[in-house]
Amino acid sequence: MRASVRFLFAASILWLAAALVAPAYAQQPTTVNPTAERVQEEQLLKALKKAEGRGTLADTKSQLLEQPAGRDWRQFQQVTLPWIGAIGILGMLGLLVLFFLIRGMIRIENGRSGRTLVRFNSFERFVHWMTAFSFIILAVSGLNITFGRALLTPLLGPETFATWAQWAKYAHNYLSFPFTIGVVLIFLMWIAWNFPSGADFRWIREGGGIIGNKHPPARRFNAGQKVIYWVVVLGGGAVAVTGYLLFFPFYVTDMAGQQLAHLIHGIAGLLFIAIMLAHIYIGTIGMQGAFEAMGSGEVDENWARQHHSLWLEKQAGKGRGQRPAPAE
Ligand code: HEM
């Protein structure tokens, strides 16, 4: 009899203890034991949101080994971003080749007049070429970060690729300065001509004289050039700000901010390159007489009449320009 009472008492205590402990246990996110011999990494990350160690460095961020957001970031850098870049850049190159095969170079319809007028002064050309030169090196070294390891290591071997990649990274860091200064100067020096105007809508409706054969009137910059201007100012601003956040990490943002800056820098940089390919095309083989504007700074009067008739009228009104072209 006493034995049965003792047994019942012990059983009730055990039941009570189990009833008290069970809800507390159920509140735990999972039953993962981080020190178990075989811990599933995936489970551990889900339960703890990060995997941290201990370290001797003063910067405690270095002790964070892994976090789910880091994996999303890695997936974006290694898979999504290369796809965005490949589609954007190869797609643009494909379109430009197709356009060139169909349309060819846009010629000065009435031929050269032999009279020229100043389109960009030497300061404007200096700023343009400083920005363009820095941009091209930044673009090549940036593309190397996204595509270099996969495309160049098989050709160059790991050691040569590592040396090239290190120099490319130095260039990418330090040419950011003349590029940023260039973007700021472009913003200031051409803002007055880059607000939308009534002429822009007609220019767009008539295909800019690029698609079709009309020659819609345009001021100093047509609607297409205004788009390029704002892409340079806003796209350049975005890559510069996010680039400096990456160059000087954690001064302004936390880990999540760094990852966001990296994401914006990558997307904006690659789309910027794709769009500038169209600009470079039209400034070189796409349009007869355009390169001179940024080369010597002077354009032929017939070129100006065909592409920027309102600007030509204004310049003539001011008594500027139209002088005989130098003998060839
Ligand atoms: C090899 C590369 C490049 C060439 C051949 C080139 C050529 C030209 C030419 C000929 C013009 C004058 C167009 C006109 O008179 O109507 C121009 C204007 C301009 N360029 Fe470039 N360019 C190059 C790269 C760049 C780069 C990399 C940037 C900026 C990142 C840039 C920004 C601009 C801007 C904002 C304008 C004024 C708006 C416009 O005409 O579209 N250029 N460029």
Side-chain angles (χ1 to χ4, degrees), residues 260-307:
L260 183 65
H262 208 170
L263 185 132
I264 296 173
H265 193 78
I267 298 178
L270 288 169
L271 297 183
F272 198 178
I273 294 171
I275 295 171
M276 291 321 284
L277 287 175
H279 171 76
I280 294 170
Y281 166 81
I282 206 79
T284 51
I285 56 168
M287 181 184 280
Q288 185 188 13
F291 188 83
E292 296 146 36
M294 276 300 166
S296 66
E298 294 188 15
V299 288
D300 190 90
E301 193 188 298
N302 281 352
W303 178 90
R305 185 164 296 111
Q306 187 170 327
H307 299 293

Side-chain angles (χ1 to χ4, degrees), residues 119-120 128-129 132 135 190 225 228 276 279-280 284 290 293-294:
R119 181 139 172 84
F120 295 109
H128 175 270
W129 288 118
F135 179 89
W190 288 333
Q225 291 175 299
I228 292 293
M276 291 321 284
H279 171 76
I280 294 170
T284 51
M294 276 300 166

Side-chain angles (χ1 to χ4, degrees), residues 117 119 193 197-203 215-222 226 301 303-318:
L117 67 161
R119 181 139 172 84
W193 292 276
S197 74
D200 295 333
F201 297 103
R202 176 163 170 204
W203 189 90
H215 298 304
R219 298 180 182 182
R220 190 179 188 202
F221 291 129
N222 59 40
K226 288 179 187 176
E301 193 188 298
W303 178 90
R305 185 164 296 111
Q306 187 170 327
H307 299 293
H308 297 273
S309 55
L310 300 175
W311 172 73
L312 176 67
E313 279 165 28
K314 205 167 174 189
Q315 294 303 99
K318 286 181 190 163

Side-chain angles (χ1 to χ4, degrees), residues 122-318:
S122 45
F123 179 71
E124 289 174 309
R125 281 179 284 138
F126 168 75
V127 171
H128 175 270
W129 288 118
M130 176 181 77
T131 318
F133 175 76
S134 325
F135 179 89
I136 289 166
I137 308 282
L138 287 168
V140 171
S141 51
L143 288 174
N144 186 57
I145 296 170
T146 303
F147 298 105
R149 194 163 60 159
L151 296 184
L152 296 181
T153 316
L155 296 174
L156 303 177
E159 281 180 15
T160 314
F161 174 72
T163 311
W164 143 250
Q166 176 148 23
W167 283 104
K169 183 67 185 98
Y170 287 141
H172 199 80
N173 283 356
Y174 294 109
L175 284 171
S176 69
F177 294 107
F179 173 75
T180 307
I181 295 170
V183 168
V184 172
L185 290 174
I186 283 180
F187 168 66
L188 295 173
M189 96 192 158
W190 288 333
I191 176 84
W193 292 276
N194 278 291
F195 293 110
S197 74
D200 295 333
F201 297 103
R202 176 163 170 204
W203 189 90
I204 293 168
R205 264 202 319 276
E206 297 185 3
I210 295 168
I211 302 163
N213 286 318
K214 292 187 178 163
H215 298 304
R219 298 180 182 182
R220 190 179 188 202
F221 291 129
N222 59 40
Q225 291 175 299
K226 288 179 187 176
V227 169
I228 292 293
Y229 171 87
W230 287 110
V231 164
V232 170
V233 169
L234 300 177
V239 286
V241 169
T242 51
Y244 289 123
L245 288 175
L246 297 171
F247 200 167
F248 304 102
F250 299 111
Y251 282 97
V252 182
T253 59
D254 58 4
M255 185 72 82
Q258 288 296 125
Q259 287 177 339
L260 183 65
H262 208 170
L263 185 132
I264 296 173
H265 193 78
I267 298 178
L270 288 169
L271 297 183
F272 198 178
I273 294 171
I275 295 171
M276 291 321 284
L277 287 175
H279 171 76
I280 294 170
Y281 166 81
I282 206 79
T284 51
I285 56 168
M287 181 184 280
Q288 185 188 13
F291 188 83
E292 296 146 36
M294 276 300 166
S296 66
E298 294 188 15
V299 288
D300 190 90
E301 193 188 298
N302 281 352
W303 178 90
R305 185 164 296 111
Q306 187 170 327
H307 299 293
H308 297 273
S309 55
L310 300 175
W311 172 73
L312 176 67
E313 279 165 28
K314 205 167 174 189
Q315 294 303 99
K318 286 181 190 163

Side-chain angles (χ1 to χ4, degrees), residues 9-50:
F9 182 71
S12 323
I13 296 283
L14 269 178
W15 177 82
L16 194 68
L20 285 174
V21 167
Y25 202 67
Q27 278 165 18
Q28 297 293 320
T30 74
T31 55
V32 180
N33 172 6
T35 54
E37 228 173 86
R38 286 186 66 233
V39 177
Q40 292 290 317
E41 220 178 315
E42 214 43 73
Q43 267 177 311
L44 187 60
L45 276 175
K46 254 193 211 151
L48 303 176
K49 300 285 176 237
K50 55 189 172 184

